[in-house]
Amino acid sequence: MFIDIPSELEAALVDLPLPPWRMDDSFLATSTMERYRTDLTATPQFEETAATLRHALTGEGGGYAVLRLGNLAKELGTDNDRFLRIATSFAAEVAVPFSPFPRWPLWKDIGVKADKDPGRSSGIGYNAFHMDLVNATLPPDFTTLLCVRPDPLGGGPSILSDAHAAAARLPENCRALLTESAYHYGTFFDLFGVGEEYKPFPILDGSNLGKGFVRFSAKMLERSKLCPEHAEAARELADELVRGQVSFMLQPGDYLVVNQHRFLHGREALHSGQETVPIADRRLLLQLFLRAKADDGPAM
């Protein structure tokens, strides 16, 4: 779902002097969230826009949204702290912003490195469907990506797929294999606020379709040692995710928010020739994670 910002709200946000945020350990401080909410609720149509965003993420049939902040990005500049505070304030309307990586700031850069593993988020190749921090007992409830610059050569559309709908299309014996704790992927160190390492883990949290995480990363098919039966079940899920995918190109200022309880995400390959693009002109996203508020319950 794409959500445009009403012109009256855009005009108010351009002139709104939101203060710098404060952190409580790796989480956005409650005092900052309260101040942002107080300031923003005084602007026209903010509450209606925030409600539309929340419904798109957690309402019936929802699971992701793209907030169109492009006009604000043009007016303020994507490298302006005021613009990033506006994006943070919208994120705080959904859940609590936090950084699971103590060595990184609240917003983490995802640039393009032509010499890195092509399948990684900073690589140039196809980034297959996955859930962020798949091997944590408490993965982020939401993952978000703010587009600063798209690929200037025209590649790299974002891809998303309804993970529960994909699992529902699988035969029962396949789903049964996916509920077994037989899967593992990735490393686990120097993390905050995401629980403990989960290894091995089930892809499906239980037999009740539509509930819980779908703990999947297509990279496990190539980089983890799985028995043939469990590997084949995961491949069938991967095929269904691709079959049901949606794709779109993020534009400057577009803010993608994904409910990890419902959708998996990825990215098509960037256009060939990235090594000819100056680093300062390459695709750049900023990533922020969100933890559901305790009184909101699961982000289902």
Side-chain angles (χ1 to χ4, degrees), residues 58-85:
T58 62
E60 184 79 24
Y64 74 91
V66 178
L67 196 61
R68 313 304 292 266
L69 302 177
N71 289 337
L72 289 167
K74 289 178 183 177
E75 186 72 25
L76 298 174
T78 52
D79 59 349
N80 187 300
D81 287 344
R82 288 176 59 202
F83 175 71
L84 207 53
R85 290 170 199 161

Side-chain angles (χ1 to χ4, degrees), residues 239-258:
D239 290 343
E240 287 299 331
L241 288 166
V242 172
R243 186 171 292 114
Q245 79 176 35
V246 295
S247 67
F248 47 82
M249 188 74 74
L250 293 174
Q251 301 301 323
D254 281 352
Y255 187 27
L256 169 64
V257 185
V258 182

Side-chain angles (χ1 to χ4, degrees), residues 88-241:
T88 304
S89 68
F90 274 105
E93 288 295 308
V94 174
V96 182
F98 80 107
S99 172
F101 310 107
R103 63 190 182 280
W104 293 100
L106 183 63
W107 291 85
K108 175 186 174 185
D109 287 7
I110 300 180
V112 174
K113 300 176 181 178
D115 59 343
K116 293 294 183 180
D117 179 346
R120 297 185 68 85
S121 58
S122 59
I124 62 175
Y126 175 63
N127 188 10
F129 281 113
H130 64 281
M131 170 185 168
D132 287 332
L133 288 113
V134 65
N135 60 334
T137 54
L138 294 173
D141 294 298
F142 302 88
T143 185
T144 82
L145 294 167
L146 178 63
C147 181
V148 175
R149 286 189 303 274
D151 177 5
L153 300 180
S158 296
I159 55 174
L160 293 107
S161 192
D162 185 330
H164 289 286
R169 294 192 294 268
L170 296 173
E172 186 175 347
N173 65 323
C174 182
R175 291 199 302 269
L177 287 166
L178 296 177
T179 63
E180 296 178 4
S181 296
Y183 298 90
H184 50 92
Y185 173 75
T187 58
F188 193 93
F189 63 93
D190 196 19
L191 296 173
F192 180 91
V194 293
E196 306 296 328
E197 182 174 16
Y198 199 3
K199 179 182 179 181
F201 54 80
I203 289 179
L204 301 181
D205 276 352
S207 58
N208 187 1
L209 288 176
K211 301 294 184 182
F213 288 112
V214 177
R215 294 176 177 273
F216 180 76
S217 171
K219 296 172 188 175
M220 68 174 65
L221 296 172
E222 297 179 356
R223 305 180 187 184
S224 300
K225 292 183 179 179
L226 306 174
C227 76
E229 294 82 5
H230 289 108
E232 179 57 28
R235 286 192 193 95
E236 290 190 38
L237 176 58
D239 290 343
E240 287 299 331
L241 288 166

Side-chain angles (χ1 to χ4, degrees), residues 46-65:
F46 173 77
E47 290 192 277
E48 295 89 338
T49 304
T52 299
L53 175 61
R54 288 191 294 268
H55 181 75
L57 294 168
T58 62
E60 184 79 24
Y64 74 91

